[in-house]
């Protein structure tokens, strides 16, 4: 993986990944509290590059919580059971003998079906298999910018219909049958997943002001007010467009590596390829910051 040094305004070192998004951050010790200046600089770097990769962090769950909360307020995870004693931490778990489908293998932006979707996700690689398990990310700033002007014009004021039903309804991918199949991850399906929520397809990022394409195969059902045929045709076009190779970065995990990504301008998807190996990650969702009064 090629990297390029980027000047950092703080003590940490930043290297740009040779990809459409992301930086590697070195010289941070997350076992210790970060001062306000470092947190501010780190958050600025994240907003600019959409994904932070912070390797070599042998940290406790409490350390993970402190870091995440320093970057923004805790968000909600409507369909995960939290770890006992850690109400904002979920385990993304797969046992070595598990045969259920790979969790989160459809492209998506986390919880985009919520009234106020989360700003970020933090994920710590606690147990990483020796092969497979890459996470794919796609830059949706770039995806929007690459659309033909005629398509942008049609979509600029359009609203996407988002729902959790494909994943978390009783008959969804992680519903009743999935639980019976023996998934180890603590997912709780619920009839609330049948609800829908409108989101702008051309979403203006609340912190950067840039426009990102905000749809995904995982959660976007169609376009409000369009005919079924028009909506289906556009969704198929957008789903193929937004994950072209020129927008995508495939991230290879290592143990004790922490990632933080921006859900407002990236979509992501999990991959398999680690059959026979246990995998465990710890996840915290970060909500939008409240505007200063």
């Amino acid at each position: 993986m090629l990297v390029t040094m980027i000047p950092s305004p703080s003590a940490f070192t930043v290297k740009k990944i040779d990809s459409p998004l992301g930086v590697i951050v070195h010289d941070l010790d997350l076992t210790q509290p970060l001062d306000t200046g470092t947190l501010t600089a780190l958050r600025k770097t994240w907003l600019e590059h959409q994904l932070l990769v912070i390797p070599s962090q042998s940290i406790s769950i409490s350390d993970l919580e402190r870091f995440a909360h320093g970057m923004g307020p805790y968000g909600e995870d409507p369909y995960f059971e939290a770890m006992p004693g850690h109400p904002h931490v979920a385990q993304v778990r797969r046992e070595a003998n598990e045969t259920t489908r790979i969790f989160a293998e459809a492209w998506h932006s986390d919880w985009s079906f919520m009234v106020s979707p989360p700003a970020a996700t933090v994920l710590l690689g606690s147990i990483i298999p020796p092969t497979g398990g890459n996470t794919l990310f796609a830059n949706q700033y770039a995806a929007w910018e690459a659309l033909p002007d005629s398509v942008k014009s049609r979509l600029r004021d359009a609203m996407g219909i988002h729902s959790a039903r494909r994943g978390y309804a009783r008959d969804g991918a992680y519903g009743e049958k999935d639980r019976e199949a023996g998934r180890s991850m603590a997912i709780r399906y619920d009839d609330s997943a049948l609800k829908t929520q409108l989101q702008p397809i051309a979403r203006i990022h609340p912190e950067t002001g840039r426009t990102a394409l905000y749809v995904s195969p995982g959660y976007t059902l169609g376009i409000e007010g369009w005919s079924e045929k028009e909506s289906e045709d556009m969704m198929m076009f957008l789903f193929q467009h937004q994950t072209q190779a020129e927008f995508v970065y495939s991230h290879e995990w290592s143990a004790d590596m922490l990632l933080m990504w921006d859900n407002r301008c990236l979509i992501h998807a999990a991959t398999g390829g680690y059959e026979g190996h246990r995998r465990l990650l710890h996840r915290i969702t970060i909500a939008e910051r409240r505007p200063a009064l």
Side-chain angles (χ1 to χ4, degrees):
M1 178 173 55
L2 297 177
V3 294
T4 303
M5 293 293 295
I6 298 174
S8 172
S10 190
F12 58 84
T13 303
V14 176
K15 296 181 179 180
K16 179 74 175 71
I17 301 170
D18 183 23
S19 81
L21 58 110
V23 290
I24 303 172
V25 180
H26 292 290
D27 303 318
L28 277 182
D29 179 5
L30 299 186
T31 65
Q32 303 298 317
L34 301 181
D35 60 57
T36 301
T38 299
L39 285 170
T40 299
L42 197 59
R43 208 171 189 281
K44 182 179 178 181
T45 301
W46 167 66
L47 288 172
E48 182 178 354
H49 298 284
Q50 301 91 53
L51 170 70
L52 300 180
V53 177
I54 311 177
S56 305
Q57 299 296 324
S58 181
I59 59 176
S60 68
I61 298 302
S62 295
D63 294 331
L64 178 65
E65 290 170 319
R66 182 181 60 244
F67 168 78
H69 201 241
M71 298 296 278
Y74 289 131
E76 298 178 38
D77 286 313
Y79 300 109
F80 295 160
E81 293 286 351
M83 288 181 63
H86 299 278
H88 302 289
V89 182
Q91 291 185 323
V92 181
R93 174 192 297 270
R94 188 174 179 85
E95 298 300 333
N97 61 351
E98 196 162 331
T99 58
T100 58
R101 66 190 296 173
I102 296 298
F103 175 70
E105 62 185 350
W107 286 99
H108 63 288
S109 171
D110 285 336
W111 306 150
S112 66
F113 51 81
M114 296 178 69
V115 174
S116 180
T121 301
V122 173
L123 201 58
L124 175 67
S126 300
I127 299 175
I128 301 300
T131 184
N134 282 20
T135 302
L136 307 178
F137 294 92
N139 186 330
Q140 297 307 287
Y141 287 145
W144 172 260
E145 291 164 3
L147 285 171
D149 288 342
S150 59
V151 176
K152 288 181 184 177
S153 179
R154 292 188 68 197
L155 296 178
R156 200 170 296 277
D157 297 318
M159 300 294 284
I161 304 167
H162 292 241
S163 174
R165 65 183 58 180
R166 289 173 178 157
Y168 301 99
R170 187 174 299 273
D171 61 351
Y174 312 115
E176 196 166 42
K177 290 183 179 180
D178 184 70
R179 179 179 293 180
E180 292 171 356
R183 182 176 296 278
S184 60
M185 185 176 169
I187 299 175
R188 55 186 188 199
Y189 63 85
D190 191 87
D191 290 341
S192 65
L194 298 174
K195 296 178 181 178
T196 60
Q197 177 64 44
L198 297 181
Q199 304 288 1
I201 291 178
R203 184 178 182 187
I204 298 175
H205 195 292
E207 296 188 75
T208 68
R210 298 179 64 186
T211 301
L213 181 60
Y214 196 64
V215 298
S216 73
Y219 294 137
T220 312
L221 304 181
I223 303 175
E224 175 73 3
W226 288 31
S227 72
E228 184 175 352
K229 179 68 164 58
E230 287 180 316
S231 179
E232 286 182 356
D233 288 350
M234 181 60 78
M235 285 293 100
M236 288 299 296
F237 169 75
L238 293 178
F239 294 160
Q240 293 175 1
H241 169 80
Q242 68 183 165
T243 57
Q244 293 180 77
E246 63 200 85
F247 309 139
V248 173
Y249 164 57
S250 179
H251 177 74
E252 183 177 346
W253 286 86
S254 60
D256 298 330
M257 178 175 281
L258 182 146
L259 267 60
M260 176 175 167
W261 66 83
D262 194 329
N263 284 300
R264 300 162 295 186
C265 54
L266 298 181
I267 56 173
H268 62 282
T271 67
Y274 52 94
E275 293 78 7
H277 297 280
R278 188 169 186 249
R279 188 171 186 261
L280 177 64
L281 305 99
H282 288 90
R283 165 182 161 143
I284 296 178
T285 300
I286 297 178
E288 293 281 3
R289 283 185 165 181
R290 294 180 179 178
L293 299 178

